[in-house]
Amino acid sequence: MVDVNLKFLGGAREVGRSAILLGIEEKQLLLDYGVSIEGEEPQFPLPVPPKRLDAVAVSHAHLDHSGAVPLLYVSRNIPFIATPLTATLSDLLIRDFMKLSKYYIPYEIVEVEKMLDSLVSLNYGEYFEVNDISIKMIDAGHIPGSSMIQIESPSLNILYTGDYSLHDTCLLRGANPNDISKADLIIMESTYAEYNHPPREEAEKAFINTVLEVVGNGGIAFVPVFAIGRAQEILCVLAKYDVDVPIYVDGMARAANDLIMENLDLLREPKLFQKAVEKSVKVRDWDHRKKILSGPGVILSPAGMLQGGPSEFYMEKIMENSRNAVIFVSYVIPETPARQVIETGIYASPTKRGPVKARIEWFDFSAHCGHDELVKTLSLAKKDAKVVLVHGEEESALKLAELGRKLGKETYVPKIGEELKIAL
């Protein structure tokens, strides 16, 4: 019997700022250390206790999982465990976060560089040993380079899913369910615990039909996207259906595309992504931005929530013309300009406010598990496996926990700051 100690520094009964401190056999491992950027100012996780920390393992590059990691390097020097692509994409996102944030960020570039200097780069299936504890990265099917993190010792197997998906997309293969069935303890996300995503092909066709209608009528189909993951997925969808119209990529998605092109082996259909990138045009500068607004076409640009990045510029320009459309393809965070557009038809930026005359659409291209996939995860787990639910709103996580208990699983829904001791 081994006692596993868990402390939840973030991402418990909430979505965002994932951070879990795992204590096992006198070793301290931090699983993710993210920042929430949903509110008016960034929300960081609780501080890591000052005792010795042996390593931090990051599941993927999105800021809600990686954005606080440089904080650890203000006073520490520990192994930073990630896939090579997660490390480079995290660097890209964190530097952009520092540059664009209007609020104080409690670290500087020197800490980001120390983080990267401490990198233990693991490809899928490779291990990093901390004495008799091994840490392994497994493809999570969420964004390129994303991982489920497996922690093993001779007597136990722990799986942290991070954000994951069991279904294939144009860009990525879904996670392998077999990896779930081996774990004694599963720490899993519950983001969409009460919601099933529509069939992917149905969403793709509806999106493509909308794009063709808008561009066919001489309009611009503006797609605000997350720079990493969603931008590449939408490019692949456009290439899959051979959409023969001008397609422009702007903002940080350009650099993300370049980094992912260097890691084609991680993708489900590398040739499709190559085709997608070749069919698209990188927006060069402000003059180019203004020029592409003169004719019909598709524009993909961060930020997906219309907060920062070139998306604010494009939205201000396309919103006045009813031939145009703004097409959302991601979860739309509450209290963001994007959510306001969908709910009220009003767009507000620092420099413009008014009704959106352009067509407004939203399609579900989520790279998270939906309700049925989360239940499938619970049913695949070993009969005596214990389950901890994180990265989900309180009400939906509690409902999923009830389903887990009906399946015979000992299931926990911790709170921020809570400590759990689980015997395995």
Side-chain angles (χ1 to χ4, degrees), residues 52-320:
R52 182 170 62 90
L53 186 62
D54 292 287
V56 56
V58 172
S59 63
H60 67 285
H62 282 156
L63 286 174
D64 61 331
H65 293 257
S66 71
V69 173
L71 261 176
L72 303 171
Y73 295 88
V74 173
S75 58
R76 291 179 169 91
N77 206 359
I78 58 170
F80 163 46
I81 304 168
T83 64
L85 185 54
T86 289
T88 55
L89 292 175
S90 295
D91 181 38
L92 179 70
L93 282 176
I94 290 168
R95 288 174 189 267
D96 186 69
F97 169 53
M98 295 176 68
K99 182 174 70 175
L100 295 179
S101 180
K102 301 174 180 135
Y103 297 90
Y104 170 70
I105 305 299
Y107 55 75
E108 298 180 358
I109 288 296
V110 65
E111 280 77 46
V112 179
E113 291 172 348
K114 282 176 68 178
M115 175 189 84
L116 294 170
D117 288 343
S118 303
L119 176 64
V120 175
S121 181
L122 293 183
N123 294 309
Y124 294 140
E126 294 180 347
Y127 290 86
F128 175 66
E129 302 281 345
V130 181
N131 292 344
D132 58 349
I133 305 254
S134 67
I135 300 158
K136 177 182 175 184
M137 300 310 227
I138 300 166
D139 191 349
H142 177 59
I143 64 171
S146 63
S147 304
M148 299 194 290
I149 301 169
Q150 185 183 72
I151 302 101
E152 281 189 297
S153 78
S155 55
L156 57 77
N157 181 313
I158 299 170
L159 183 71
Y160 170 56
T161 67
D163 294 352
Y164 74 113
S165 172
L166 295 181
H167 60 267
D168 290 344
T169 65
C170 285
L171 187 66
L172 297 172
R173 295 173 291 271
N176 185 347
N178 292 335
D179 292 310
I180 296 162
S181 62
K182 302 170 186 173
D184 304 302
L185 170 64
I186 302 174
I187 307 165
M188 61 181 275
E189 68 148 313
S190 54
T191 316
Y192 288 99
E194 295 187 275
Y195 178 78
N196 271 321
H197 306 298
R200 184 49 66 110
E201 196 161 286
E202 185 180 294
E204 290 173 3
K205 288 178 179 177
F207 169 76
I208 292 296
N209 288 338
T210 298
V211 167
L212 293 176
E213 284 174 18
V214 171
V215 177
N217 288 330
I220 294 169
F222 168 49
V223 188
V225 286
F226 297 140
I228 295 172
R230 202 55 43 85
Q232 294 75 36
E233 173 69 13
I234 296 302
L235 279 174
C236 285
V237 171
L238 292 165
K240 175 182 174 180
Y241 290 88
D242 290 311
V243 173
D244 190 19
V245 302
I247 300 168
Y248 302 100
V249 180
D250 205 346
M252 198 166 45
R254 298 169 297 184
N257 283 352
D258 292 342
L259 291 170
I260 293 166
M261 280 289 283
E262 296 171 6
N263 294 267
L264 291 173
D265 59 306
L266 301 180
L267 307 184
R268 182 184 173 206
E269 292 189 49
K271 289 182 179 177
L272 179 63
F273 182 64
Q274 286 178 298
K275 174 184 172 182
V277 171
E278 288 166 4
K279 282 173 66 73
S280 66
V281 176
K282 281 186 187 179
V283 179
R284 297 184 301 274
D285 50 33
W286 281 105
D287 286 339
H288 195 190
R289 284 186 184 118
K290 294 169 186 173
K291 184 177 179 181
I292 65 177
L293 287 167
S294 63
V298 181
I299 300 173
L300 275 64
S301 177
M305 298 301 105
L306 298 176
Q307 284 180 314
S311 67
E312 288 184 358
F313 166 78
Y314 290 121
M315 189 63 189
E316 289 180 3
K317 299 301 181 186
I318 69 103
M319 64 185 278
E320 302 284 0

